[in-house]
Amino acid sequence: YQNFCAAENSGIFRLGRPTVGLLFHRTSWAEGDMELTGQLKKMLEAEGISVIPVMLEGGNMAREGSRPFAKLMEDCFSRDGEVVIDGIVNQLVFSGEAEKGKSIYQSSAECFAKWKLPVFQPVSAYFCTEETYRNSANPLRDEIPWAYLTPELQGMIQPVLVALRDERGQVKPIKERLKHFAGRTARHLRLGRI
């Protein structure tokens, strides 16, 4: 992060442009399944958005050496106590961790609310293949509980399907849907700057 901020006004990251934190799960990196994250970053940048990609475990993994979600947000997306991003693009289903007396939904929503940032949710289908998506009357029925309701309960907005699964279970981005998601995100961020 510090190296990224040192590069302000050079390359893709420019002061004055809307900036998002792009959260992705460590499993994607470990399994070499980064095509969606890479294309998402590229589409957002094409819309004039600076992107700070951040890999995390999800849930409370501090005991294994990873930072808890709230600490990661503080370390990666603020400087001297000031938020340096305009929004979050969150590829994780669960971001925060359950705390004593609070559900994971409530804890995540409170963490996001503290930052006063929109949290956008690109949806990557777990069960739907391209064939099912193109040929079924209701291709996303199995995705609704986890891909649309769960993020909403945590305070995320704009759930847009951006990827399906191939026959091996690998994520396959849908270019036209990624472009749609990036465009919606850019318009939302620009409205927030008015």
Side-chain angles (χ1 to χ4, degrees):
Y1 170 72
Q2 297 301 330
N3 290 339
F4 183 84
C5 288
E8 286 176 346
N9 290 321
S10 65
I12 293 296
F13 185 75
R14 296 198 197 296
L15 291 174
R17 292 173 75 165
T19 302
V20 296
L22 174 59
L23 304 178
F24 64 97
H25 203 282
R26 182 186 179 281
T27 303
S28 298
W29 170 77
E31 294 178 357
D33 198 6
M34 293 292 295
E35 183 180 1
L36 175 60
T37 302
Q39 285 194 26
L40 190 52
K41 181 179 181 293
K42 185 187 291 185
M43 292 285 191
L44 290 165
E45 289 171 343
E47 290 287 340
I49 300 171
S50 295
V51 180
I52 303 172
V54 175
M55 175 177 69
L56 68 154
E57 294 282 351
N60 189 355
M61 303 298 283
R63 65 189 170 278
E64 296 179 20
S66 296
R67 287 175 268 185
F69 180 69
K71 178 75 171 136
L72 185 131
M73 292 286 292
E74 186 179 311
D75 291 349
C76 295
F77 302 132
S78 70
R79 184 186 304 159
D80 301 323
E82 296 292 321
V83 176
V84 296
I85 58 174
D86 300 291
I88 299 167
V89 175
N90 186 6
Q91 292 182 257
L92 285 77
V93 176
F94 292 105
S95 303
E97 51 273 344
E99 298 172 10
K100 187 175 183 178
K102 296 180 185 176
S103 71
I104 193 169
Y105 302 107
Q106 189 177 7
S107 295
S108 294
E110 287 176 8
C111 183
F112 291 142
K114 174 185 169 190
W115 288 81
K116 298 180 179 138
L117 295 171
V119 182
F120 305 98
Q121 178 70 30
V123 174
S124 178
Y126 276 96
F127 309 107
C128 189
T129 63
E130 185 170 0
E131 181 181 345
T132 303
Y133 179 71
R134 304 277 182 218
N135 299 320
S136 174
N138 192 5
L140 300 175
R141 72 174 178 268
D142 295 334
E143 312 286 346
I144 290 173
W146 77 267
Y148 293 93
L149 300 178
T150 297
E152 186 174 318
L153 289 169
Q154 295 177 76
M156 295 180 236
I157 61 172
Q158 310 248 4
V160 174
L161 179 70
V162 297
L164 301 165
R165 299 288 168 163
D166 66 13
E167 57 282 346
R168 297 173 323 204
Q170 292 288 310
V171 176
K172 290 296 165 201
I174 310 167
K175 273 199 168 162
E176 68 270 13
R177 303 294 299 162
L178 277 170
K179 186 173 182 172
H180 175 72
F181 176 83
R184 282 180 68 154
T185 301
R187 288 188 295 279
H188 188 103
L189 294 174
R190 288 187 190 104
L191 277 173
R193 288 178 156 229
I194 293 176

